[in-house]
Amino acid sequence: MTTPTDGKTPDLSAKEQHEVEKNQPPRAAVLHEIIRKQGDQELERSIAALWWSALAAGLTMGLSLMGMGLLNSRLPEGDEFKVIASFGYCAGFLAVILARQQLFTENTLTAVLPVMTKPTLANFGRLIRLWTVVLFGNLCGTILVAYVMLELPIFDSKTDEAFLEIGRKVMENHASQMFAKGIVSGWMIATMVWMIPSMESAKMWIIILITYFMALGDFTHIVVGSAEVSYLVFAGELPWSDFWAVFAGPTLAGNIIGGSFIFALISHAQIRSESGKPKESADQAEKPDPQQIRK
């Protein structure tokens, strides 16, 4: 057995060394570039493509309200059963993200990185264009699905009451709480987006884990919450002025700050602080260049 002089595990074969290199986690810079390229692709999409995808996402996010309402109406009363009912919150996020529909808070990270990498007026304009179209499409979808869920004879009275209770729970927060909880929610969604490229095989479980804890913590989210709160409006329990001033405005600001101005800025600063290419291992450095061998 040879004695290691550089701290490496001795007597690894070439195949084993290759396995070690292959199973190294991607550098943060690699994740940054993957997400940046995704964001750049989103910024290039046409307004029509963004609009229809965002509208579909808003309609799909109604699954979160539906899932929680159905579980709450069929579980015994008590806070301990919220641990189970909160899984319903994951349904909309799973469907939207796996279907690659346009979700506003998801784009607060992916579309921001190209702008941070190249902060030109043109890129800022593309970002505002994307955010405006996607947010408007998401809100139209969630408000429409809330109206349909209330007005059409789809659910029994117990389930309808469960939907109302979910909206009432959101509106127990005052505007500053909506804002603070929105920051946490935006941060969590941005964390989820950052994690997925490095663990694509576990994508579903990452989405479930993050969104489940969002539900348990009652953190506010502009898209899901708009379905929950607009249900109250259509039921006559809340004026539209409170929907916009107490819920939507503060929550939207919190989501953007948490997802873009905090997480994305810190992540981008981390990458900018890394200088140069990663150092090659000794084994890689010793490998001859195939082109030089042919020469």
Side-chain angles (χ1 to χ4, degrees):
M1 179 179 290
T2 60
T3 302
T5 59
D6 55 3
K8 293 183 179 180
T9 303
D11 300 325
L12 290 181
S13 67
K15 183 178 179 181
E16 290 169 332
Q17 288 283 6
H18 177 69
E19 286 296 316
V20 171
E21 295 296 332
K22 187 174 71 172
N23 288 286
Q24 291 299 307
R27 296 170 61 227
V30 175
L31 298 179
H32 182 280
E33 180 60 14
I34 291 171
I35 297 169
R36 188 201 64 78
K37 289 190 71 173
Q38 291 174 349
D40 205 45
Q41 290 170 0
E42 297 299 335
L43 290 172
E44 289 295 326
R45 296 184 69 179
S46 67
I47 290 178
L50 291 172
W51 158 255
W52 289 112
S53 182
L55 180 65
L59 294 170
T60 305
M61 287 303 293
L63 288 173
S64 289
L65 174 60
M66 192 184 304
M68 287 192 296
L70 289 170
L71 288 173
N72 276 318
S73 65
R74 284 154 179 78
L75 289 169
E77 294 185 5
D79 290 340
E80 63 272 18
F81 293 103
K82 182 185 176 182
V83 175
I84 301 173
S86 293
F87 276 109
Y89 191 83
C90 307
F93 285 96
L94 274 170
V96 166
I97 296 173
L98 294 180
R100 299 187 64 83
Q101 295 171 344
Q102 289 288 331
L103 180 64
F104 178 76
T105 48
E106 189 183 7
N107 286 327
T108 57
L109 178 64
T110 56
V112 165
L113 291 187
V115 179
M116 291 184 176
T117 304
K118 192 176 181 182
T120 63
L121 285 176
N123 276 343
F124 276 110
R126 292 197 303 163
L127 178 64
I128 297 303
R129 164 184 166 273
L130 181 141
W131 277 6
T132 302
V133 174
V134 171
L135 178 61
F136 185 62
N138 285 169
L139 293 181
C140 286
T142 52
I143 290 172
L144 177 59
V145 79
Y147 178 81
V148 169
M149 288 170 62
L150 177 69
E151 296 297 332
L152 295 187
I154 302 173
F155 304 102
D156 56 33
S157 58
K158 191 174 181 181
T159 306
D160 288 336
E161 182 61 28
F163 293 149
L164 291 170
E165 282 298 323
I166 292 170
R168 292 170 189 149
K169 179 69 175 177
V170 175
M171 292 308 296
E172 287 178 3
N173 299 299
H174 49 72
S176 61
Q177 288 175 309
M178 297 282 192
F179 174 71
K181 291 183 177 183
I183 292 175
V184 178
S185 178
W187 177 278
M188 293 175 75
I189 292 294
T191 303
M192 178 186 72
V193 173
W194 190 267
M195 291 170 64
I196 286 174
S198 63
M199 292 289 290
E200 191 69 32
S201 60
K203 184 175 185 176
M204 183 179 73
W205 300 111
I206 293 171
I207 298 169
I208 291 173
L209 176 68
I210 297 296
T211 56
Y212 175 66
F213 281 114
M214 283 172 60
L216 279 182
D218 292 322
F219 301 124
T220 52
H221 186 275
I222 183 60
V223 182
V224 182
S226 64
E228 299 167 344
V229 179
S230 63
Y231 194 93
L232 284 180
V233 176
F234 291 125
E237 293 194 13
L238 189 75
W240 279 111
S241 59
D242 283 356
F243 174 90
W244 296 111
V246 179
F247 164 72
T251 300
L252 175 61
N255 287 167
I256 291 175
I257 290 173
S260 298
F261 298 146
I262 296 180
F263 189 94
L265 275 172
I266 293 174
S267 301
H268 184 68
Q270 172 193 352
I271 303 307
R272 291 296 297 269
S273 299
E274 293 182 358
S275 58
K277 295 181 180 179
K279 294 180 180 178
E280 291 184 342
S281 64
D283 295 329
Q284 290 176 316
E286 290 170 3
K287 288 181 181 178
D289 188 348
Q291 293 182 353
Q292 292 179 349
I293 293 176
R294 285 196 293 269
K295 291 180 181 178

